[in-house]
Amino acid sequence: MNSRVFLAIFICLSSSIGLSKHIECDLTLDDFKPLITNGEIQNRIIEMAKQINHDYAGQELTLIMIMKGAVCIASDLMQKITVPCTIEHMQASSYGQNGTHAGVLTLKGIENIDFEGKHILLVDDIFDTGATITKIKAELAQYNPASIKSAVLLVKNKARAMQEVPEYIAFTIENQFVIGYGLDYKELYRGLPDIWVKKD
Ligand code: IMP
Ligand code: MG
């Protein structure tokens, strides 16, 4: 076989393998089933906000949305918080473009926020390994806040969590991949009102 024919066969084979991989890992809503309804989420958020209002009574709170996953829970939670509260945001990306596989964790936007002497409440979508919240807490501690706690919609696979779990948790779920209410698959599905779980 001459080298040109070999090269042509190699290119054909590698592109067809790449194509089938792409098709295999592309998920649609048919690959998911409903897990938690928006009504159930709203009820838990009311309970979480009650606890937060009780715990921070007489204090001022700085709520920090970890974007983009926290967009729904932060929006609903802040409307139920009755203690004086300012809202800030920062961005954490822990998943690569694969959608379900963790990539390098990057944080953006810390430099725009004043943490000194503030009671900080981090709000995030999901606590999976705990790496994101643990890293953010460690970074923010350098800026001398009065306190740092966290509130999350979901804690996944509690047993695998590396550090102590967030102070405020709406739901604990199994170690399954979920989308909706802020949670994405390849940046899609964040706007679903309910939480959906990937079928087995
Ligand atoms: P951790 O650092 O392992 O706790 O992961 C936290 C981040 O990973 C979350 O803020 C999400 O952006 C992402 N993540 C973890 N599990 C899921 C999931 O099931 N669906 C969508 N995103 C997830
Ligand atoms: Mg995400």
Side-chain angles (χ1 to χ4, degrees):
M1 193 190 306
N2 78 29
S3 60
R4 277 195 191 170
V5 174
F6 178 80
L7 188 65
I9 293 171
F10 175 77
I11 290 170
C12 274
L13 277 177
S14 56
S15 65
S16 66
I17 289 166
L19 185 65
S20 61
K21 254 190 192 163
H22 179 71
I23 289 167
E24 261 169 39
C25 72
D26 248 3
L27 303 175
T28 71
L29 202 51
D30 285 341
D31 297 304
F32 291 83
K33 58 185 181 188
L35 182 69
I36 304 172
T37 67
N38 189 268
E40 291 166 331
I41 296 170
Q42 298 305 329
N43 288 339
R44 280 295 301 138
I45 287 177
I46 289 169
E47 296 303 314
M48 282 170 92
K50 268 188 201 158
Q51 189 64 51
I52 290 167
N53 291 330
H54 172 267
D55 294 350
Y56 290 90
Q59 293 171 339
E60 191 176 309
L61 186 57
T62 301
L63 208 106
I64 302 193
M65 301 183 273
I66 314 296
M67 302 306 275
K68 306 169 199 166
V71 65
C72 295
I73 182 171
S75 165
D76 284 334
L77 185 64
M78 73 175 78
Q79 294 174 57
K80 311 279 181 322
I81 290 179
T82 51
V83 295
C85 179
T86 58
I87 317 292
E88 302 288 353
H89 73 278
M90 51 182 286
Q91 187 156 0
S93 330
S94 65
Y95 275 22
Q97 291 204 324
N98 286 337
T100 57
H101 300 291
V104 179
L105 179 63
T106 52
L107 302 178
K108 287 186 206 156
I110 290 185
E111 63 283 0
N112 304 325
I113 307 171
D114 177 20
F115 300 102
E116 178 99 34
K118 303 278 170 68
H119 291 286
I120 304 294
L121 183 61
L122 301 171
V123 183
D124 204 358
D125 52 359
I126 188 163
F127 189 93
D128 179 8
T129 63
T132 305
I133 287 186
T134 304
K135 176 166 180 179
I136 295 173
K137 278 187 171 175
E139 292 264 328
L140 301 196
Q142 304 169 35
Y143 298 92
N144 302 319
S147 66
I148 312 179
K149 289 187 186 179
S150 55
V152 296
L153 174 67
L154 303 171
V155 167
K156 188 157 59 169
N157 195 4
K158 229 172 179 174
R160 201 155 60 98
M162 316 185 306
Q163 308 290 337
E164 79 258 34
V165 292
E167 287 76 6
Y168 307 100
I169 298 168
F171 301 96
T172 300
I173 60 164
E174 296 302 316
N175 185 28
Q176 291 162 297
F177 189 75
V178 285
I179 54 167
Y181 196 73
L183 291 144
D184 72 302
Y185 169 67
K186 293 186 176 178
E187 293 298 327
L188 295 171
Y189 308 115
R190 292 192 196 276
L192 294 172
D194 304 325
I195 296 169
W196 295 59
V197 63
K198 191 171 172 298
K199 292 174 187 166
D200 292 331

